[in-house]
Amino acid sequence: MRDPYEVLGVSRTASDSEIKTAYRDLVKKYHPDNYANNPLADLASEKMKEINEAYDAITKSRGAGSSYQSGGYQSGGNQSYSYGYQSGGSASSPYAQVRSYINANQLDAADSLLNTAPTRDGEWYYLKGTIAYRRGWLDEARQHYQTACAMVPSNFEYQNALRTVQGGYTPYRQTNYQRSDMDEACNLCNALLCLNCLCGGGGCR
Amino acid sequence: MFGYVRPRRDLLAQSEFDAYHAAYCGLCRTLGKQFGFRSRFLVNYDMTFLYLLRTSAAEPSGVRNCWCPARVCGRRACMQDAEGFLPAAAYTVILSYEKLLDNVRDESFLRSLPFRILTLLFRRAYRKASKLLPDFAALCERQLAALQELETARSPSIDATADAFARIVSGCVNDLSDPGLRRPMEQILYHTGRFLFLADALDDLKEDCAKDAYNPLRYRFSVSGGALTQADLDYLSQLTDSSVNLAGAALELLPMQANRILLENIIYYGFPAVFFAVKTGKFQARASLWHNERHKTDHTGEST
């Protein structure tokens, strides 16, 4: 295991509050929500695990009973982020299989299975958009997300995906150069999403 | 290749800019040493970025003064990293040669003559480079053929056409074995390639319309008078912003030891500035980074 201080990017003499700040910044940067639908979500999840372990190791070795529960930031451990906001109803549909292909980065398999689906509803367009997004086909992804949002205007997951592909939300970026107003709106959205997950809502695994 | 991938010089400290310049000079020197003097003419900003990215996980390299043929008398600071520069130089040679071949294919016999001569000049360098990276030369040919097919079919999909090109660019890390490095780098390079393709398509739009040549933007959007509507331009900007975001998300996952400031500058500031300049018709691909005064209007046409 790497030196926990190195993982958090702080010196060994850093104060508890400095460590906490560094930890919070890293958690914010690598939070699963920031890598939702990103093909590198699994690497981000590993990074989060490493950060949490480093923080736990430091707090343990310093013997300070921290009130900051690092485990709380992990969304279920593995890479099933895009399940997080799904309403429980559609678990039995073929879409569940498509989602698991997508999460395993088997995009061709996901695409051909999706093309055999009998209906083209909002979820279909959302998944089609997600496959395109993972491939880096952003124009197509945006068109599909827009259709999904138009068909099911109330779905939070679709709206969030559309907002991401529109290029507005850049949480990992330390240096912002544009669109702070957009960021604020999205931060609020993500805070609510986060809250929803933490409270055990929405079928979060 | 294109000159679209470059840092915002006005946002770099002098020492950081010097490091960038030393990497550029190091790549040039390696091209000369490994692939013959004339290969030095192939050095460019885009491939300097590739070098910086590929070596970001290694310890920073030292700098030494070297003879520079572009300066009549005098030496330049030059990064010493033979191991890191060699693959970057080989990729530079292969990409440049493939681009020349592509030009030969695209143009009529007379117009393609200069390119034919150039391919002869670089043939030996290309052979050596493709021996080092045999898979990559094959990948280039495959993807350029796919691009040609889309062009013949007058494809309206900017995703499909950009994808054919971006796969070549993301192939520039195929030789790396560690997936923890390769996968984020592939994503960065894929979106760099996509950005390059879209910026180039937008830059050439007017010319292509006049010549009635293929340009995916002509078939994807409604173009009048060789220009896109403001709404379409904004849409295209958002697409490239998304690419910047995805490249940035991948950059954060790299275990970086060196070049962080330069890479962040190029991706977060260089890309948007270049795209803005292309959009407003002010981009000059040939404008040198080295001769501009600091804090004046920079090469991208965006003043600070």
Side-chain angles (χ1 to χ4, degrees), chain A residues 118-149:
Chain A
T119 52
R120 302 202 163 181
D121 51 9
E123 180 75 359
W124 190 89
Y125 281 102
Y126 168 74
L127 293 172
K128 195 82 180 158
T130 301
I131 293 168
Y133 184 75
R134 285 221 172 196
R135 286 189 170 135
W137 291 38
L138 304 177
D139 182 27
E140 212 170 86
R142 189 162 161 178
Q143 306 294 326
H144 289 313
Y145 283 152
Q146 265 165 351
T147 313
C149 283

Side-chain angles (χ1 to χ4, degrees), chain A residues 131-177:
Chain A
I131 293 168
Y133 184 75
R134 285 221 172 196
R135 286 189 170 135
W137 291 38
L138 304 177
D139 182 27
E140 212 170 86
R142 189 162 161 178
Q143 306 294 326
H144 289 313
Y145 283 152
Q146 265 165 351
T147 313
C149 283
M151 287 173 114
V152 193
S154 58
N155 190 303
F156 218 37
E157 188 181 16
Y158 304 169
Q159 285 168 23
N160 219 32
L162 179 61
R163 221 168 357 244
T164 309
V165 83
Q166 281 170 341
Y169 185 39
T170 56
Y172 34 78
R173 187 179 298 180
Q174 297 293 302
T175 41
N176 288 314
Y177 67 99

Side-chain angles (χ1 to χ4, degrees), chain B residues 23 81 135 251 300:
Chain B
D81 179 14
D135 297 343
L251 188 71
T300 57

Side-chain angles (χ1 to χ4, degrees), chain B residues 190-259:
Chain B
Y190 182 89
H191 285 284
T192 302
R194 204 181 136 87
F195 167 81
L196 270 171
F197 186 85
L198 293 179
D200 194 46
L202 185 59
D203 211 14
D204 292 345
L205 185 59
K206 206 168 187 168
E207 207 185 313
D208 289 340
C209 284
K211 286 199 289 190
D212 196 27
Y214 174 72
N215 185 318
L217 300 181
R218 280 182 69 190
Y219 297 90
R220 169 65 180 82
F221 301 107
S222 54
V223 180
S224 64
L228 296 178
T229 62
Q230 190 55 45
D232 288 343
L233 271 179
D234 291 344
Y235 181 85
L236 203 56
S237 296
Q238 287 180 2
L239 285 185
T240 53
D241 278 355
S242 281
S243 276
V244 168
N245 288 347
L246 280 162
L251 188 71
E252 295 301 341
L253 292 171
L254 281 178
M256 277 196 278
Q257 304 257 19
N259 312 335

